[in-house]
Coordinates of all heavy atoms in Angstrom, one line a residue:
Q35 N -7.8 -5.4 -5.7 CA -8.7 -5.4 -6.8 C -10.0 -6.2 -6.5 O -11.1 -5.8 -6.9 CB -8.0 -6.0 -8.1 CG -7.0 -5.0 -8.7 CD -6.3 -5.6 -9.9 OE1 -6.2 -6.8 -10.0 NE2 -5.7 -4.8 -10.7
K36 N -9.8 -7.3 -5.8 CA -10.9 -8.2 -5.5 C -11.8 -7.4 -4.5 O -13.0 -7.5 -4.6 CB -10.4 -9.5 -4.8 CG -11.6 -10.4 -4.5 CD -11.2 -11.8 -4.1 CE -12.3 -12.7 -3.6 NZ -13.7 -12.2 -3.6
A37 N -11.2 -6.7 -3.6 CA -12.0 -5.9 -2.6 C -12.8 -4.9 -3.3 O -14.0 -4.6 -3.0 CB -11.1 -5.3 -1.5
A38 N -12.2 -4.3 -4.3 CA -12.9 -3.2 -5.1 C -14.1 -3.9 -5.9 O -15.2 -3.3 -5.9 CB -12.0 -2.5 -6.1
Q39 N -13.9 -5.0 -6.5 CA -14.9 -5.7 -7.2 C -16.1 -6.1 -6.2 O -17.2 -6.0 -6.6 CB -14.4 -6.9 -7.9 CG -13.5 -6.6 -9.1 CD -12.8 -7.8 -9.6 OE1 -12.7 -8.9 -9.0 NE2 -12.2 -7.6 -10.8
D40 N -15.7 -6.6 -5.1 CA -16.7 -7.0 -4.1 C -17.5 -5.8 -3.6 O -18.7 -5.8 -3.5 CB -16.0 -7.6 -2.8 CG -15.4 -9.0 -3.2 OD1 -15.8 -9.6 -4.2 OD2 -14.6 -9.5 -2.3
A41 N -16.8 -4.6 -3.4 CA -17.5 -3.4 -3.0 C -18.5 -2.9 -4.1 O -19.6 -2.5 -3.8 CB -16.5 -2.3 -2.7
E42 N -18.0 -3.0 -5.3 CA -18.9 -2.6 -6.4 C -20.2 -3.5 -6.5 O -21.3 -3.1 -6.7 CB -18.2 -2.7 -7.8 CG -19.0 -2.2 -8.9 CD -18.2 -2.3 -10.2 OE1 -17.0 -2.5 -10.2 OE2 -18.8 -2.0 -11.3
S43 N -20.0 -4.8 -6.3 CA -21.1 -5.8 -6.3 C -22.0 -5.5 -5.1 O -23.3 -5.5 -5.3 CB -20.6 -7.2 -6.2 OG -19.8 -7.6 -7.3
Q44 N -21.5 -5.2 -4.0 CA -22.3 -4.8 -2.8 C -23.1 -3.6 -3.1 O -24.3 -3.5 -2.8 CB -21.4 -4.6 -1.6 CG -20.9 -5.9 -0.9 CD -20.1 -5.6 0.3 OE1 -19.8 -4.4 0.6 NE2 -19.7 -6.6 1.0
Y45 N -22.5 -2.6 -3.7 CA -23.1 -1.4 -4.0 C -24.3 -1.6 -4.9 O -25.4 -1.1 -4.7 CB -22.2 -0.3 -4.6 CG -22.8 1.0 -4.9 CD1 -23.1 1.9 -3.9 CD2 -23.3 1.3 -6.2 CE1 -23.7 3.1 -4.2 CE2 -23.9 2.5 -6.5 CZ -24.1 3.4 -5.5 OH -24.8 4.6 -5.8
K46 N -24.1 -2.3 -6.0 CA -25.1 -2.6 -7.0 C -26.3 -3.3 -6.3 O -27.4 -3.1 -6.6 CB -24.6 -3.4 -8.2 CG -23.7 -2.6 -9.1 CD -23.1 -3.4 -10.2 CE -22.2 -2.6 -11.1 NZ -21.7 -3.4 -12.2
E47 N -25.9 -4.3 -5.5 CA -27.0 -5.1 -4.9 C -27.8 -4.3 -3.8 O -29.0 -4.4 -3.8 CB -26.3 -6.3 -4.2 CG -27.3 -7.3 -3.6 CD -26.6 -8.5 -2.9 OE1 -25.7 -9.0 -3.6 OE2 -26.9 -8.8 -1.8
K48 N -27.1 -3.6 -3.0 CA -27.8 -2.9 -1.9 C -28.4 -1.6 -2.3 O -29.4 -1.1 -1.6 CB -26.8 -2.6 -0.8 CG -26.3 -3.9 -0.1 CD -25.3 -3.5 1.0 CE -24.8 -4.8 1.8 NZ -23.9 -4.4 2.9
S49 N -28.0 -1.0 -3.4 CA -28.4 0.4 -3.7 C -29.7 0.4 -4.6 O -30.2 1.5 -4.9 CB -27.3 1.2 -4.3 OG -27.0 0.7 -5.6
K50 N -30.1 -0.7 -5.0 CA -31.2 -0.8 -6.0 C -32.4 0.1 -5.6 O -32.9 0.8 -6.4 CB -31.7 -2.3 -6.1 CG -30.7 -3.1 -6.9 CD -31.2 -4.6 -7.0 CE -30.1 -5.4 -7.6 NZ -30.5 -6.9 -7.6
D51 N -32.9 0.0 -4.4 CA -34.1 0.7 -4.0 C -33.8 1.8 -3.0 O -34.7 2.3 -2.3 CB -35.1 -0.3 -3.3 CG -35.5 -1.4 -4.2 OD1 -35.7 -1.1 -5.4 OD2 -35.6 -2.6 -3.8
M52 N -32.6 2.3 -3.0 CA -32.2 3.4 -2.1 C -32.4 4.8 -2.7 O -32.4 4.9 -4.0 CB -30.7 3.3 -1.7 CG -30.4 2.2 -0.8 SD -28.6 2.2 -0.4 CE -28.5 1.2 1.0
S53 N -32.6 5.7 -1.8 CA -32.6 7.1 -2.3 C -31.2 7.6 -2.7 O -30.2 6.9 -2.3 CB -33.2 8.0 -1.2 OG -32.2 8.1 -0.1
D54 N -31.1 8.7 -3.3 CA -29.8 9.2 -3.7 C -28.9 9.5 -2.5 O -27.7 9.2 -2.5 CB -29.9 10.5 -4.5 CG -30.4 10.2 -6.0 OD1 -30.3 9.0 -6.4 OD2 -30.8 11.1 -6.6
A55 N -29.5 10.0 -1.4 CA -28.7 10.3 -0.2 C -28.2 9.0 0.4 O -27.1 8.9 0.9 CB -29.6 11.0 0.8
D56 N -29.1 8.0 0.4 CA -28.6 6.7 1.0 C -27.6 6.0 0.1 O -26.7 5.4 0.6 CB -29.8 5.7 1.2 CG -30.8 6.1 2.3 OD1 -30.3 6.9 3.2 OD2 -32.0 5.7 2.3
K57 N -27.7 6.2 -1.2 CA -26.7 5.7 -2.1 C -25.3 6.3 -1.8 O -24.3 5.7 -1.8 CB -27.1 5.9 -3.6 CG -28.2 5.0 -4.0 CD -28.5 5.2 -5.5 CE -29.7 4.3 -6.0 NZ -30.0 4.6 -7.4
Q58 N -25.4 7.6 -1.6 CA -24.2 8.4 -1.3 C -23.5 7.9 0.0 O -22.3 7.7 0.0 CB -24.4 9.9 -1.3 CG -23.2 10.7 -1.0 CD -22.2 10.7 -2.1 OE1 -22.5 10.5 -3.2 NE2 -20.9 10.8 -1.7
K59 N -24.4 7.7 1.0 CA -23.9 7.2 2.3 C -23.2 5.8 2.1 O -22.2 5.5 2.6 CB -25.0 7.2 3.3 CG -24.5 6.8 4.7 CD -25.7 6.8 5.7 CE -25.2 6.4 7.0 NZ -26.3 6.4 8.0
L60 N -23.9 4.9 1.4 CA -23.4 3.6 1.1 C -22.1 3.6 0.4 O -21.1 2.9 0.7 CB -24.4 2.7 0.4 CG -24.0 1.3 -0.1 CD1 -23.6 0.5 1.2 CD2 -25.0 0.7 -0.9
H61 N -22.0 4.5 -0.6 CA -20.8 4.7 -1.4 C -19.6 5.1 -0.5 O -18.5 4.6 -0.6 CB -21.0 5.7 -2.5 CG -19.8 6.0 -3.4 ND1 -18.6 6.4 -2.9 CD2 -19.6 5.8 -4.7 CE1 -17.7 6.5 -3.9 NE2 -18.3 6.1 -5.0
E62 N -19.9 6.0 0.4 CA -18.9 6.5 1.3 C -18.4 5.4 2.3 O -17.2 5.3 2.5 CB -19.4 7.7 2.1 CG -19.5 9.0 1.2 CD -20.2 10.2 1.9 OE1 -20.6 10.0 3.1 OE2 -20.4 11.2 1.2
E63 N -19.3 4.6 2.7 CA -19.0 3.5 3.7 C -18.1 2.5 2.9 O -17.1 2.0 3.5 CB -20.3 2.9 4.2 CG -21.1 3.7 5.2 CD -22.4 3.1 5.5 OE1 -22.7 1.9 5.1 OE2 -23.2 3.7 6.2
L64 N -18.5 2.1 1.7 CA -17.7 1.2 1.0 C -16.4 1.7 0.6 O -15.4 1.0 0.6 CB -18.5 0.7 -0.3 CG -19.8 -0.1 -0.1 CD1 -20.6 -0.3 -1.4 CD2 -19.5 -1.4 0.6
Q65 N -16.3 3.0 0.3 CA -15.0 3.6 -0.1 C -14.1 3.6 1.2 O -12.9 3.3 1.0 CB -15.2 5.1 -0.5 CG -14.0 5.8 -1.0 CD -13.4 5.1 -2.3 OE1 -14.2 4.7 -3.2 NE2 -12.1 5.1 -2.4
K66 N -14.7 3.9 2.3 CA -13.9 3.9 3.6 C -13.4 2.5 3.8 O -12.2 2.3 4.2 CB -14.7 4.4 4.7 CG -14.1 4.2 6.1 CD -13.2 5.3 6.4 CE -12.7 5.4 7.9 NZ -11.6 4.5 8.2
G67 N -14.2 1.5 3.6 CA -13.8 0.1 3.7 C -12.6 -0.3 2.8 O -11.7 -1.0 3.2
L68 N -12.7 0.2 1.6 CA -11.6 0.0 0.6 C -10.3 0.7 1.0 O -9.2 0.1 0.9 CB -12.0 0.5 -0.8 CG -13.0 -0.4 -1.5 CD1 -13.4 0.3 -2.8 CD2 -12.4 -1.8 -1.8
E69 N -10.4 1.9 1.5 CA -9.2 2.6 2.0 C -8.6 1.9 3.2 O -7.4 1.7 3.3 CB -9.6 4.0 2.4 CG -9.9 4.9 1.2 CD -10.5 6.3 1.6 OE1 -10.6 6.6 2.8 OE2 -10.9 7.0 0.7
D70 N -9.5 1.4 4.1 CA -9.0 0.6 5.3 C -8.3 -0.7 4.8 O -7.2 -1.0 5.3 CB -10.1 0.3 6.2 CG -10.6 1.5 6.9 OD1 -10.0 2.6 6.9 OD2 -11.7 1.4 7.5
K71 N -8.8 -1.4 3.8 CA -8.2 -2.6 3.3 C -6.9 -2.3 2.6 O -5.9 -3.0 2.8 CB -9.2 -3.2 2.3 CG -8.7 -4.6 1.8 CD -8.7 -5.6 2.9 CE -8.5 -7.0 2.3 NZ -8.4 -8.0 3.3
Q72 N -6.8 -1.2 1.9 CA -5.6 -0.9 1.2 C -4.5 -0.6 2.3 O -3.4 -1.0 2.1 CB -5.8 0.4 0.3 CG -4.5 0.7 -0.4 CD -4.7 1.9 -1.3 OE1 -5.7 2.6 -1.4 NE2 -3.7 2.2 -2.1
K73 N -4.9 0.2 3.3 CA -3.9 0.5 4.4 C -3.5 -0.8 5.0 O -2.3 -1.0 5.3 CB -4.6 1.4 5.4 CG -3.6 1.9 6.4 CD -4.2 2.9 7.3 CE -3.2 3.4 8.3 NZ -3.8 4.5 9.2
E74 N -4.4 -1.7 5.3 CA -4.1 -3.0 5.9 C -3.1 -3.8 5.1 O -2.2 -4.5 5.7 CB -5.4 -3.8 6.1 CG -5.2 -5.2 6.6 CD -6.5 -6.0 6.5 OE1 -7.6 -5.4 6.8 OE2 -6.5 -7.2 6.2
L75 N -3.2 -3.7 3.8 CA -2.3 -4.5 2.9 C -1.0 -3.8 2.7 O 0.0 -4.5 2.6 CB -3.0 -4.8 1.6 CG -4.3 -5.7 1.7 CD1 -5.0 -5.7 0.3 CD2 -3.9 -7.1 2.1
V76 N -1.0 -2.5 2.5 CA 0.2 -1.8 2.1 C 1.1 -1.5 3.3 O 2.3 -1.5 3.1 CB -0.2 -0.4 1.4 CG1 1.0 0.5 1.2 CG2 -0.9 -0.8 0.1
E77 N 0.6 -1.2 4.5 CA 1.4 -0.8 5.6 C 2.5 -1.8 5.9 O 3.6 -1.5 6.1 CB 0.6 -0.4 6.8 CG -0.2 0.9 6.7 CD 0.7 2.1 6.5 OE1 1.8 2.2 7.1 OE2 0.4 2.9 5.6
P78 N 2.1 -3.1 6.0 CA 3.2 -4.1 6.3 C 4.3 -4.2 5.3 O 5.5 -4.3 5.6 CB 2.4 -5.4 6.4 CG 1.0 -5.1 6.7 CD 0.8 -3.7 6.0
L79 N 3.9 -4.0 4.0 CA 4.9 -4.0 2.9 C 5.8 -2.8 3.0 O 7.0 -2.9 2.8 CB 4.2 -4.0 1.6 CG 3.4 -5.3 1.3 CD1 2.6 -5.1 0.0 CD2 4.2 -6.5 1.2
K80 N 5.2 -1.6 3.3 CA 6.0 -0.4 3.4 C 7.0 -0.5 4.6 O 8.1 -0.1 4.5 CB 5.0 0.8 3.7 CG 5.8 2.1 3.7 CD 4.8 3.3 3.9 CE 5.4 4.6 3.9 NZ 6.7 4.7 4.5
K81 N 6.5 -1.1 5.7 CA 7.4 -1.3 6.8 C 8.6 -2.2 6.4 O 9.7 -2.0 6.8 CB 6.7 -1.9 8.0 CG 7.6 -2.1 9.2 CD 6.9 -2.4 10.5 CE 7.8 -2.6 11.7 NZ 9.2 -2.5 11.5
K82 N 8.3 -3.3 5.7 CA 9.4 -4.2 5.3 C 10.4 -3.5 4.4 O 11.6 -3.7 4.5 CB 8.8 -5.4 4.5 CG 8.1 -6.4 5.4 CD 7.6 -7.6 4.6 CE 6.8 -8.5 5.5 NZ 6.3 -9.7 4.8
V83 N 9.9 -2.7 3.5 CA 10.8 -1.9 2.6 C 11.6 -0.9 3.4 O 12.8 -0.8 3.2 CB 10.0 -1.2 1.5 CG1 10.9 -0.2 0.7 CG2 9.4 -2.2 0.5
D84 N 11.0 -0.2 4.3 CA 11.7 0.8 5.2 C 12.7 0.1 6.0 O 13.9 0.6 6.1 CB 10.7 1.5 6.1 CG 9.8 2.5 5.3 OD1 10.1 2.8 4.1 OD2 8.8 3.0 5.9
D85 N 12.4 -1.1 6.6 CA 13.4 -1.8 7.4 C 14.6 -2.2 6.5 O 15.7 -2.2 7.0 CB 12.7 -3.1 8.0 CG 11.7 -2.7 9.1 OD1 11.7 -1.5 9.6 OD2 11.0 -3.6 9.5
A86 N 14.3 -2.7 5.3 CA 15.4 -3.1 4.4 C 16.3 -1.9 4.1 O 17.5 -2.0 4.0 CB 14.8 -3.7 3.1
I87 N 15.7 -0.7 3.8 CA 16.4 0.5 3.5 C 17.3 0.9 4.7 O 18.5 1.2 4.5 CB 15.5 1.7 3.1 CG1 14.8 1.4 1.8 CG2 16.2 3.0 3.1 CD1 13.7 2.3 1.4
V88 N 16.8 0.8 5.9 CA 17.6 1.1 7.1 C 18.7 0.2 7.2 O 19.9 0.6 7.5 CB 16.7 1.2 8.4 CG1 17.5 1.2 9.6 CG2 15.7 2.3 8.3
A89 N 18.5 -1.1 7.0 CA 19.5 -2.1 7.1 C 20.6 -1.9 6.1 O 21.8 -2.0 6.5 CB 18.9 -3.5 6.9
V90 N 20.3 -1.6 4.9 CA 21.3 -1.3 3.9 C 22.1 0.0 4.2 O 23.3 0.0 4.1 CB 20.6 -1.2 2.5 CG1 21.6 -0.6 1.5 CG2 20.1 -2.5 2.0
G91 N 21.4 1.0 4.7 CA 22.0 2.2 5.1 C 23.1 2.0 6.2 O 24.2 2.5 6.1
K92 N 22.7 1.2 7.2 CA 23.6 0.9 8.3 C 24.8 0.1 7.8 O 25.9 0.3 8.1 CB 22.9 0.1 9.4 CG 22.0 1.0 10.2 CD 21.3 0.2 11.3 CE 20.4 1.1 12.1 NZ 19.6 0.4 13.2
T93 N 24.5 -0.9 6.9 CA 25.6 -1.8 6.4 C 26.6 -1.0 5.6 O 27.8 -1.2 5.7 CB 25.0 -2.9 5.5 OG1 24.2 -3.7 6.3 CG2 26.1 -3.8 4.9
K94 N 26.1 0.0 4.8 CA 27.0 0.8 3.9 C 27.5 2.0 4.6 O 28.2 2.8 4.0 CB 26.2 1.1 2.6 CG 25.9 -0.1 1.8 CD 25.5 0.3 0.4 CE 25.6 -0.8 -0.6 NZ 27.0 -1.0 -1.1
G95 N 27.1 2.3 5.8 CA 27.5 3.5 6.5 C 26.9 4.8 6.0 O 27.5 5.8 6.0
L96 N 25.7 4.7 5.4 CA 25.0 5.8 4.9 C 24.1 6.5 5.9 O 23.4 5.8 6.7 CB 24.1 5.4 3.7 CG 24.9 4.7 2.5 CD1 23.9 4.2 1.5 CD2 25.9 5.7 1.9
T97 N 24.1 7.8 6.0 CA 23.2 8.4 6.9 C 21.9 8.9 6.3 O 20.9 9.2 7.0 CB 23.9 9.6 7.6 OG1 24.3 10.5 6.5 CG2 25.1 9.2 8.4
V98 N 21.9 9.0 5.0 CA 20.7 9.4 4.3 C 20.5 8.6 3.0 O 21.4 8.4 2.3 CB 20.8 10.9 3.9 CG1 19.5 11.3 3.1 CG2 20.9 11.8 5.1
I99 N 19.3 8.1 2.8 CA 18.9 7.5 1.6 C 17.7 8.1 1.1 O 16.7 8.3 1.8 CB 18.7 6.0 1.8 CG1 20.0 5.3 2.3 CG2 18.2 5.3 0.5 CD1 19.8 3.8 2.5
V100 N 17.7 8.6 -0.2 CA 16.6 9.3 -0.7 C 16.1 8.6 -2.0 O 16.8 7.8 -2.6 CB 16.9 10.8 -1.1 CG1 17.2 11.6 0.1 CG2 18.0 10.9 -2.1
N101 N 14.9 8.9 -2.4 CA 14.3 8.3 -3.6 C 15.1 8.8 -4.8 O 15.5 10.0 -4.9 CB 12.9 8.8 -3.7 CG 12.2 8.2 -4.9 OD1 12.6 8.2 -6.0 ND2 11.0 7.6 -4.6
E102 N 15.4 7.9 -5.7 CA 16.2 8.2 -6.9 C 15.7 9.5 -7.6 O 16.5 10.3 -8.1 CB 16.2 7.0 -7.8 CG 17.0 7.2 -9.1 CD 17.0 6.0 -10.0 OE1 15.9 5.3 -10.0 OE2 18.0 5.7 -10.6
G103 N 14.4 9.7 -7.6 CA 13.9 10.9 -8.3 C 14.2 12.2 -7.7 O 14.2 13.2 -8.3
A104 N 14.7 12.2 -6.4 CA 15.0 13.4 -5.7 C 16.5 13.8 -5.9 O 16.9 14.9 -5.5 CB 14.8 13.2 -4.2
V105 N 17.3 12.9 -6.6 CA 18.7 13.2 -6.8 C 18.9 13.9 -8.1 O 18.5 13.4 -9.1 CB 19.5 11.8 -6.7 CG1 21.0 12.1 -7.0 CG2 19.3 11.1 -5.4
V106 N 19.6 15.0 -8.0 CA 19.9 15.7 -9.2 C 21.3 15.3 -9.8 O 21.5 15.2 -11.0 CB 19.9 17.3 -9.0 CG1 20.4 18.0 -10.2 CG2 18.5 17.7 -8.5
Y107 N 22.2 15.1 -8.8 CA 23.6 14.8 -9.2 C 24.2 13.9 -8.2 O 24.1 14.1 -7.0 CB 24.4 16.0 -9.5 CG 25.9 15.8 -9.8 CD1 26.2 15.4 -11.1 CD2 26.8 15.9 -8.8 CE1 27.6 15.2 -11.4 CE2 28.2 15.7 -9.1 CZ 28.5 15.3 -10.4 OH 29.8 15.1 -10.7
G108 N 25.0 12.9 -8.6 CA 25.8 12.1 -7.7 C 25.0 11.1 -6.9 O 23.9 10.7 -7.3
G109 N 25.6 10.7 -5.8 CA 25.0 9.7 -5.0 C 25.3 8.2 -5.4 O 26.1 8.0 -6.3
V110 N 24.9 7.3 -4.6 CA 25.1 5.9 -4.8 C 23.8 5.2 -4.9 O 22.9 5.3 -4.0 CB 25.9 5.3 -3.6 CG1 26.1 3.8 -3.8 CG2 27.3 6.0 -3.5
D111 N 23.5 4.5 -5.9 CA 22.2 3.8 -6.1 C 22.3 2.5 -5.3 O 23.1 1.6 -5.6 CB 22.0 3.5 -7.6 CG 20.6 2.9 -7.9 OD1 19.9 2.6 -6.9 OD2 20.3 2.7 -9.0
V112 N 21.5 2.4 -4.3 CA 21.4 1.2 -3.4 C 20.2 0.3 -3.7 O 19.8 -0.5 -2.9 CB 21.6 1.5 -1.9 CG1 22.9 2.2 -1.7 CG2 20.4 2.4 -1.5
T113 N 19.5 0.5 -4.8 CA 18.3 -0.2 -5.1 C 18.5 -1.7 -5.1 O 17.7 -2.4 -4.5 CB 17.7 0.3 -6.5 OG1 17.5 1.7 -6.4 CG2 16.4 -0.4 -6.8
A114 N 19.5 -2.2 -5.8 CA 19.8 -3.6 -5.8 C 20.1 -4.1 -4.4 O 19.7 -5.3 -4.1 CB 21.0 -3.9 -6.8
D115 N 20.8 -3.4 -3.6 CA 21.1 -3.8 -2.2 C 19.8 -3.9 -1.4 O 19.6 -4.9 -0.6 CB 22.0 -2.8 -1.6 CG 23.4 -2.7 -2.3 OD1 24.0 -3.7 -2.5 OD2 23.7 -1.6 -2.7
V116 N 18.9 -3.0 -1.6 CA 17.6 -3.0 -0.9 C 16.8 -4.2 -1.3 O 16.2 -5.0 -0.5 CB 16.8 -1.7 -1.0 CG1 15.4 -1.8 -0.4 CG2 17.6 -0.6 -0.4
Q117 N 16.8 -4.5 -2.6 CA 16.1 -5.7 -3.1 C 16.7 -7.0 -2.6 O 15.9 -7.9 -2.2 CB 16.1 -5.7 -4.7 CG 15.3 -4.6 -5.3 CD 15.5 -4.5 -6.8 OE1 16.5 -4.9 -7.3 NE2 14.5 -3.9 -7.5
A118 N 18.0 -7.0 -2.5 CA 18.6 -8.2 -2.0 C 18.3 -8.4 -0.5 O 18.0 -9.5 0.0 CB 20.1 -8.1 -2.1
E119 N 18.2 -7.3 0.3 CA 17.9 -7.3 1.7 C 16.4 -7.8 1.8 O 16.1 -8.6 2.7 CB 18.0 -5.9 2.3 CG 17.7 -5.9 3.8 CD 18.6 -6.7 4.7 OE1 19.8 -7.0 4.3 OE2 18.1 -7.1 5.8
L120 N 15.5 -7.3 1.0 CA 14.1 -7.8 1.0 C 14.0 -9.3 0.8 O 13.3 -10.0 1.5 CB 13.3 -7.0 0.0 CG 12.9 -5.6 0.4 CD1 12.3 -4.8 -0.8 CD2 12.0 -5.6 1.6
Q121 N 14.8 -9.8 -0.2 CA 14.8 -11.2 -0.5 C 15.4 -12.0 0.7 O 14.9 -13.1 1.0 CB 15.6 -11.5 -1.7 CG 14.9 -11.0 -3.0 CD 15.7 -11.2 -4.3 OE1 16.9 -11.5 -4.2 NE2 15.1 -10.9 -5.4
K122 N 16.4 -11.5 1.3 CA 17.0 -12.1 2.5 C 16.0 -12.2 3.6 O 15.9 -13.2 4.3 CB 18.3 -11.3 2.9 CG 19.1 -12.0 4.0 CD 20.4 -11.3 4.2 CE 20.3 -10.2 5.2 NZ 21.6 -9.6 5.5
Q123 N 15.3 -11.1 3.9 CA 14.2 -11.1 4.9 C 13.1 -12.0 4.6 O 12.6 -12.7 5.5 CB 13.7 -9.6 5.1 CG 14.6 -8.7 5.7 CD 14.0 -7.3 5.8 OE1 12.9 -7.0 5.5 NE2 14.8 -6.3 6.2
A124 N 12.7 -12.1 3.3 CA 11.7 -13.0 2.9 C 12.0 -14.5 3.2 O 11.2 -15.3 3.6 CB 11.3 -12.8 1.5
K125 N 13.3 -14.8 3.0 CA 13.8 -16.2 3.2 C 13.7 -16.5 4.7 O 13.5 -17.7 5.1 CB 15.2 -16.4 2.7 CG 15.2 -16.4 1.2 CD 16.6 -16.6 0.6 CE 16.6 -16.6 -0.9 NZ 17.9 -16.7 -1.5
K126 N 13.9 -15.5 5.6 CA 13.9 -15.7 7.0 C 12.5 -16.1 7.5 O 12.3 -16.8 8.4 CB 14.4 -14.5 7.8 CG 15.9 -14.3 7.7 CD 16.3 -13.1 8.4 CE 17.8 -12.8 8.3 NZ 18.2 -11.6 9.1
N127 N 11.5 -15.5 6.8 CA 10.1 -15.6 7.2 C 9.6 -16.8 6.5 O 8.8 -17.5 6.5 CB 9.3 -14.4 6.9 CG 9.8 -13.2 7.6 OD1 10.3 -13.3 8.7 ND2 9.6 -12.0 7.1

């Protein structure tokens, strides 16, 4: 959110005397920067969650773990186990 606010401030400051084409180019550059920042922040978290899911799967002898929304019937909910694994990993770091 802070990066988005900073980008908006930069846009307002830099675009004052720009043509529409230059404003569009600046907007695209700032948008790309925000996408890169989001990826930088989200990817490590996604990897931690994926690692926790794999660890729980191995511990429980599961070969497939799917998102709860993809399940129509049956299955075993391992959400609490994954959360516990994430907490365990966080304590190690």
Side-chain angles (χ1 to χ4, degrees):
Q35 288 176 338
K36 181 171 178 358
Q39 290 171 347
D40 291 346
E42 184 177 351
S43 296
Q44 284 181 355
Y45 180 81
K46 287 178 181 178
E47 183 180 315
K48 292 180 179 181
S49 67
K50 290 178 184 175
D51 299 320
M52 289 184 164
S53 68
D54 287 344
D56 288 338
K57 286 180 181 181
Q58 180 65 30
K59 184 177 179 184
L60 176 61
H61 181 298
E62 290 171 2
E63 289 172 6
L64 292 172
Q65 186 66 35
K66 173 80 169 87
L68 286 174
E69 289 170 6
D70 291 346
K71 184 68 171 177
Q72 182 178 9
K73 185 175 183 179
E74 173 189 324
L75 295 172
V76 171
E77 288 300 317
L79 296 174
K80 185 178 180 325
K81 181 172 180 354
K82 287 180 182 181
V83 171
D84 289 347
D85 290 348
I87 291 169
V88 169
V90 168
K92 287 181 180 179
T93 300
K94 293 194 163 279
L96 303 171
T97 56
V98 176
I99 297 178
V100 296
N101 186 309
E102 182 181 32
V105 177
V106 176
Y107 176 79
V110 177
D111 187 353
V112 295
T113 303
D115 299 305
V116 172
Q117 290 171 336
E119 180 65 27
L120 285 168
Q121 289 175 352
K122 187 170 87 174
Q123 289 177 5
K125 287 180 183 178
K126 287 180 182 179
N127 297 331

